[in-house]
Amino acid sequence: MATSVERRMRRRTRVGLLAVGLAACTAAPAHGAADAIVAAGPDGGASFAWSQLGSPTLIQERSLTAAGALSETQFVSPATSGGALGEKIGTDSAGDAVIAWLGHDGSNWVVRARGRLATGGLTPLQRLSAPGYDANNLSLAVEPDGDAVVAWERYVGDYQVIEARRRAADGTLGPVHTLSYGAARSEYPDVAVAPDGTATVVWLRHAGGDKQYIQARTIAANGSLSATQTLTPTGLEAYTPSVSMDGAGRAVFGWTRTTSGGALIAETRARSAGGVLSAPQRLSATGSIAFELVSAGDATGRRVFAWLKRVGSVDSLAGRIRRADGTLSAEFPLGADDGINPAVAIDPNGNATFAWHTDEDVSVVHSRRRSVAGTLGTIRTLSNPAQNAAAPHVAVDPAGKATIAWYLPPSLYFAARTVTAGGTMSPIRLINGDS
């Protein structure tokens, strides 16, 4: 049962944007948004990017100041393109942003990117992936100095490979690195970058049948590649790979996988700056099923995890912290027996903010903060309980202020709200509307 849920979630990740963004674009409102993304700025502000559904579907962006003022909305992808979706956004220490997305060139989906300066200007449009085959499922990481690494999966003949490319803060593009090898399907990459420019990419690799496992590879700042490392058993089923890197170049990974007995568990594993892997650590409790695993890490090596926990027929949300020394906190409940689609972010001091939406007739977005000392704060209702709200994204600034964004199906309007470290909530703001 859990495995089927994981497969459904993975299919939604892969095709949901294409199905919604293209098949429904003519029926959507003028400001319809899908896959809304938010990134926190260094000064208490935030940046947003989303797909405006239309014909064609295009990428838009907008920023929010610390005082709560919204900038003018502007298009990021060109109106002459064959459509754009799958956007990601990240900000650097100066408040400049990098936005990457999938754009259709008339024949194929390719990875495109451009910068948005803190002053609001857009840098020139760039194509990162080669034409000729479709790219999909991109991931973006932005360094404090503005350099960025984008990873994606790309069809090459009858199989898929994982590719990545560095974009310097001045827009200079490095070479395209092919990280996985052919003759099998590799997909769902995640990327993280250390302050020295070292990037780590993790992905899911298929081994035939239902067998799939997690692999990772490092790209040094000078472009050299490490050997490929396999993180999970090759004879089982693994899902949802993720990675973060700390200031010393160490990486922490997370995933869910089946056991030999068929249970679905959440695990983590670390890799030293020198490439040495630690032993896997189990995150989820014995007797429970874990899926929808999400995580976030800070520069000290601390990583926070959240997942949907199933015991019998009861679902709830759970979390756990992996400290920089490798020890694990106790599993803690987030207090949401009907919550799904968790999201999490962590501030530089180790305080985490979780967000999720309830799985009810009218779904509502909630958030909760956990301090670095382990204190769980109040569960806060963020969206209007009279409206459906779904798929929250969360970002946290250096002071601990969280910006949570979500969309409002079926209209696909895109809304957001901020919550300070002290619990003060801003008004709800409609990001892609007129107010």
Side-chain angles (χ1 to χ4, degrees):
M1 180 176 182
T3 300
S4 67
V5 173
E6 282 285 353
R7 287 175 178 154
R8 185 168 65 251
M9 294 300 298
R10 288 170 54 239
R11 285 198 301 270
R12 182 171 64 187
T13 301
R14 165 176 282 279
V15 304
L17 291 177
L18 290 172
V20 173
L22 298 181
C25 66
T26 56
H31 295 291
D35 196 33
I37 298 294
V38 58
D43 59 354
S47 297
F48 306 93
W50 66 92
S51 305
Q52 176 184 295
L53 301 185
S55 185
T57 300
L58 300 174
I59 307 300
Q60 289 189 309
E61 72 85 24
R62 196 175 197 182
S63 60
L64 177 71
T65 69
L70 284 166
S71 70
E72 292 295 322
T73 300
Q74 60 181 334
F75 286 99
V76 178
S77 60
T80 56
S81 71
L85 41 80
E87 63 282 349
K88 304 294 180 184
I89 186 170
T91 51
D92 64 20
S93 60
D96 296 331
V98 177
I99 305 167
W101 67 92
L102 297 171
H104 203 273
D105 65 2
S107 299
N108 300 103
W109 292 97
V110 297
V111 179
R112 298 191 185 277
R114 72 191 314 174
R116 194 230 55 220
L117 305 178
T119 56
L122 294 174
T123 65
L125 181 68
Q126 296 172 301
R127 178 177 54 77
L128 274 62
S129 65
Y133 291 100
D134 285 327
N136 201 2
N137 287 331
L138 65 90
S139 178
L140 166 70
V142 180
E143 301 173 44
D145 65 1
D147 290 355
V149 177
V150 184
W152 60 87
E153 64 188 56
R154 181 168 174 265
Y155 284 90
V156 178
D158 295 330
Y159 54 86
Q160 291 167 207
V161 297
I162 302 300
E163 297 180 332
R165 195 170 194 180
R166 187 181 301 274
R167 180 191 184 274
D170 64 2
T172 302
L173 294 176
V176 175
H177 298 285
T178 299
L179 303 180
S180 64
Y181 50 92
R185 191 167 81 250
S186 297
E187 56 188 352
Y188 304 111
D190 190 37
V191 60
V193 184
D196 67 355
T198 301
T200 297
V201 182
V202 63
W203 64 88
L204 183 69
R205 181 164 181 87
H206 291 260
D210 290 333
K211 311 306 180 186
Q212 52 205 31
Y213 52 95
I214 309 297
Q215 291 189 312
R217 201 167 188 185
T218 295
I219 309 169
N222 64 7
S224 61
L225 299 177
S226 73
T228 301
Q229 293 177 305
T230 297
L231 306 181
T232 62
T234 59
L236 299 171
E237 298 177 64
Y239 308 92
T240 57
S242 64
V243 61
S244 65
M245 297 191 73
D246 67 15
R250 296 169 296 195
V252 181
F253 307 97
W255 58 78
T256 57
R257 71 167 179 88
T258 58
T259 66
S260 57
L264 190 60
I265 64 173
E267 280 188 327
T268 183
R269 191 174 195 177
R271 190 205 61 215
S272 72
V276 179
L277 291 171
S278 71
Q281 296 169 291
R282 181 166 173 165
L283 297 168
S284 54
T286 302
S288 67
I289 293 171
F291 49 99
E292 289 191 36
L293 180 72
V294 294
S295 58
D298 66 14
T300 71
R302 185 184 294 107
R303 191 162 176 85
V304 57
F305 297 90
W307 63 92
L308 187 56
K309 174 182 178 179
R310 178 170 296 163
V311 179
S313 61
V314 177
D315 290 350
S316 62
L317 292 175
R320 201 164 190 184
I321 308 296
R322 186 188 189 276
R323 305 180 185 92
D325 63 4
T327 58
L328 296 175
S329 75
E331 180 184 303
F332 52 87
L334 292 176
D337 289 342
D338 53 359
I340 60 173
N341 288 135
V344 65
I346 188 170
D347 70 25
N349 295 315
N351 306 295
T353 297
F354 302 89
W356 63 89
H357 77 259
T358 52
D359 187 16
E360 299 175 329
D361 291 339
V362 177
S363 59
V364 179
V365 171
H366 303 275
S367 74
R368 193 173 197 182
R369 189 172 188 266
R370 183 188 187 275
S371 73
V372 67
T375 302
L376 282 169
T378 303
I379 297 177
R380 303 186 184 279
T381 298
L382 301 181
S383 61
N384 185 338
Q387 296 176 307
N388 276 311
H393 295 266
V394 59
V396 181
D397 74 6
K401 183 170 74 173
T403 302
I404 300 97
W406 63 88
Y407 73 90
L408 303 169
S411 67
L412 297 183
Y413 278 91
F414 173 26
R417 196 169 198 176
T418 62
V419 184
T420 67
T424 301
M425 294 194 296
S426 74
I428 298 173
R429 295 179 175 89
L430 191 61
I431 302 301
N432 65 324
D434 299 322
S435 61

